[in-house]
Amino acid sequence: MLSDISPLRKVNHDASPLSSYELARERLHVSAIPDSLPCREDEFEEISGYLESALQEGTGTCIYISGVPGTGKTATVLEVIRGLQYRSEQEDEDIPAFDFVEINGMKLTDANHAYSLLWDSLNHDSNNKKKVTPAHALELLETRFSDEQENGKTTVVLMDELDLLVTKKQTVMYNFFEWPNRPHSKLIVVAIANTMDLPERMLSNKISSRMGLKRINFQAYSHQQLHEIVSSRLKGIEAFEQDAVEFAARKVSAVSGDARRALDICRRAVEIVEQQSTKKTVTIGIVNQAIKEMFSSPSVSFIQSLSLHQKLFLVSVMQRVRQIGLAEIEFGDVAQHHLHTCQWNHLEPPTTSDLMRICESLGQARALVVEGGRLDLGMRITLNLSDEDVLMACKADRIVGRLLVNFNK
């Protein structure tokens, strides 16, 4: 089914055949839709079965999917939705027609705009297409999900990057998790986040337990799985030596297990080969060149030039962001984590004033985004570097690298 909609089947349709290098580059692009998603078969079946049952029964439900970036969460859900839509369009009696709405926290300037997006999507058949404010949309949605609907169609909502939809009062997350539980809502919410316990942290255990969330956690890819993912995209293409793909998979799994990074590295390796005068297959040496090139970015070089406690502070920010599930956290929280890390590893701890100066210096260098107008424990800070750049740069440090050994396990 996926091959019918994959851009790989449409590229260069009327042009000359692609070379093995060009085809490899296209298939290795992170935005390319593969014919299948290897290594996520169990998660696919679990999500598909749960959604299929809810659609058949016409009941609302909520699935909470967690896992670090690059582990196939969104891709798996979208493949499940495509399969269900295809079956519905083929008038499969087991799958009634349903509406699908995708809301991405990264694309919203305000979390409350999620209400407007959902209402606009639900109201697509109406003659009145007037835009409504988020506050008005919330009122309309409250009414809709409280009353029995003439239109019996179920709505499936994918809330991606849920971490970015967190608000001070948590009303957006609460409403989207609570609406599916109403008797007549016919609303299925699939929420995707990086943090496993985001609902408990943001809504309290008491509230989240009442919502009966179905939970599925995506583990980081192992090197064997990364090898299988890349190899599946290169099937039938003789552009890589087998041990070159294995080398890339091991390097990425040691840092993050992010499939997107493995694809990026292998794609860059193909570009390096194409630029050479004598064409040959991609070797371990070329993959290693691509890795060094990708991790010798200005950001990585900058982090490597920092002092021990500057690196530790960045790592503390990154770890607390992952643990809490919020992109923006308080200085006091990070400072406490930093000091505990020093204590656990028998390092001379800096003072809080020292850490404040470290935070300021990292803010001035734009490694952090620091809340202006205040210098206290409640000051809000945001990491302005990618986790992978921080991990790669700090792993080379003897002390900080030792602290990161179990970070991704």
Side-chain angles (χ1 to χ4, degrees):
M1 178 195 67
L2 278 178
S3 60
D4 294 332
I5 59 175
S6 170
L8 304 181
R9 303 303 184 195
K10 297 179 180 179
V11 175
N12 251 18
H13 184 71
D14 298 320
S16 57
L18 299 177
S19 70
S20 60
Y21 301 105
E22 291 170 326
L23 191 56
R25 274 194 289 106
E26 287 198 358
R27 290 190 180 181
L28 291 170
H29 200 288
V30 293
S31 65
I33 302 175
D35 293 333
S36 63
L37 288 174
C39 306
R40 289 301 180 213
E41 292 83 2
D42 291 343
E43 292 85 352
F44 177 93
E45 290 299 327
E46 189 172 6
I47 296 168
S48 182
Y50 202 73
L51 288 181
E52 185 172 334
S53 296
L55 287 169
Q56 290 171 345
E57 295 167 8
T59 57
T61 191
C62 187
I63 306 175
Y64 183 75
I65 298 173
S66 60
V68 296
T71 50
K73 303 184 296 296
T74 303
T76 301
V77 171
L78 290 176
E79 185 174 0
V80 168
I81 295 296
R82 278 191 289 266
L84 293 173
Q85 286 176 326
Y86 178 81
R87 289 172 60 186
S88 175
E89 290 166 1
Q90 299 301 308
E91 299 183 352
D92 184 333
E93 294 182 0
D94 290 337
I95 306 297
F98 64 94
D99 291 321
F100 175 60
V101 184
E102 185 173 357
I103 299 174
N104 191 314
M106 190 174 291
K107 298 177 181 178
L108 299 182
T109 55
D110 185 329
N112 291 304
H113 290 164
Y115 298 135
S116 301
L117 276 177
L118 179 55
W119 176 253
D120 289 344
S121 300
L122 292 174
N123 208 35
H124 62 82
D125 291 330
S126 172
N127 294 324
N128 180 15
K129 292 296 291 180
K130 184 179 178 180
K131 294 288 184 180
V132 298
T133 65
H136 189 201
L138 174 57
E139 294 176 3
L140 294 168
L141 290 168
E142 276 288 333
T143 301
R144 180 185 180 96
F145 294 136
S146 298
D147 301 333
E148 191 167 1
Q149 302 297 312
E150 294 180 9
N151 176 4
K153 190 181 289 189
T154 298
T155 299
V156 179
V157 179
L158 168 59
M159 296 189 73
D160 205 355
E161 304 286 356
L162 183 69
D163 316 68
L164 302 178
L165 292 175
V166 170
T167 59
K168 287 185 178 179
K169 295 183 179 180
Q170 312 313 340
T171 51
V172 174
M173 188 185 301
Y174 174 82
N175 286 327
F176 273 86
F177 285 177
E178 192 268 336
W179 284 330
N181 291 315
R182 298 188 183 181
H184 308 298
S185 72
K186 286 192 173 250
L187 179 67
I188 299 173
V189 172
V190 182
I192 298 178
N194 296 329
T195 312
M196 187 183 299
D197 57 352
L198 185 63
E200 286 78 11
R201 290 180 180 274
M202 296 301 104
L203 301 176
S204 83
N205 282 320
K206 186 176 180 181
I207 294 175
S208 63
S209 63
R210 288 207 314 265
M211 294 182 174
L213 303 175
K214 168 67 177 176
R215 296 170 182 274
I216 300 172
N217 186 52
F218 280 55
Q219 298 291 334
Y221 287 116
S222 65
H223 77 269
Q224 295 96 334
Q225 290 174 320
L226 291 173
H227 182 275
E228 184 177 345
I229 289 167
V230 175
S231 297
S232 68
R233 295 206 180 198
L234 293 172
K235 188 175 182 180
I237 303 174
E238 297 181 359
F240 278 75
E241 292 184 1
Q242 192 61 28
D243 55 2
V245 176
E246 173 79 13
F247 180 75
R250 288 186 178 276
K251 284 290 186 180
V252 173
S253 68
V255 177
S256 63
D258 187 332
R260 295 172 301 189
R261 183 52 63 103
L263 293 171
D264 284 339
I265 288 171
C266 290
R267 190 170 190 269
R268 178 56 190 147
V270 173
E271 292 173 348
I272 293 173
V273 169
E274 286 185 298
Q275 293 166 2
Q276 296 177 349
S277 56
T278 55
K279 297 287 186 181
K280 57 184 179 180
T281 56
V282 176
T283 63
I284 287 179
I286 292 172
V287 169
N288 197 38
Q289 181 182 339
I291 292 172
K292 289 180 178 178
E293 183 181 299
M294 293 186 74
F295 291 118
S296 63
S297 66
S299 295
V300 172
S301 299
F302 165 75
I303 298 168
Q304 289 174 332
S305 71
L306 296 176
S307 68
L308 169 63
H309 282 292
Q310 285 177 316
K311 291 176 183 174
L312 276 180
F313 193 83
L314 284 178
V315 170
S316 295
V317 173
M318 178 182 67
Q319 290 179 328
R320 291 305 291 153
V321 164
R322 285 198 183 182
Q323 290 164 356
I324 295 176
L326 296 176
E328 188 181 63
I329 54 179
E330 293 185 356
F331 166 80
D333 188 359
V334 178
Q336 185 178 39
H337 184 82
H338 185 118
L339 295 174
H340 283 166
T341 300
C342 291
Q343 182 180 355
W344 295 330
N345 292 277
H346 309 293
L347 297 174
E348 183 69 28
T351 65
T352 303
S353 297
D354 291 335
L355 288 177
M356 183 65 74
R357 285 192 289 272
I358 286 172
C359 184
E360 280 188 279
S361 68
L362 293 172
Q364 291 168 355
R366 301 298 295 168
L368 298 174
V369 177
V370 180
E371 181 183 6
R374 62 186 299 179
L375 290 172
D376 54 32
L377 295 177
M379 179 176 64
R380 314 291 294 185
I381 57 179
T382 306
L383 186 63
N384 200 33
L385 299 165
S386 74
D387 287 8
E388 200 138 31
D389 282 347
V390 175
L391 285 166
M392 180 56 66
C394 290
K395 278 175 73 74
D397 185 287
R398 182 177 60 85
I399 297 175
V400 185
R402 187 179 71 242
L403 305 182
L404 290 171
V405 170
N406 296 318
F407 181 65
N408 287 301
K409 295 182 180 178

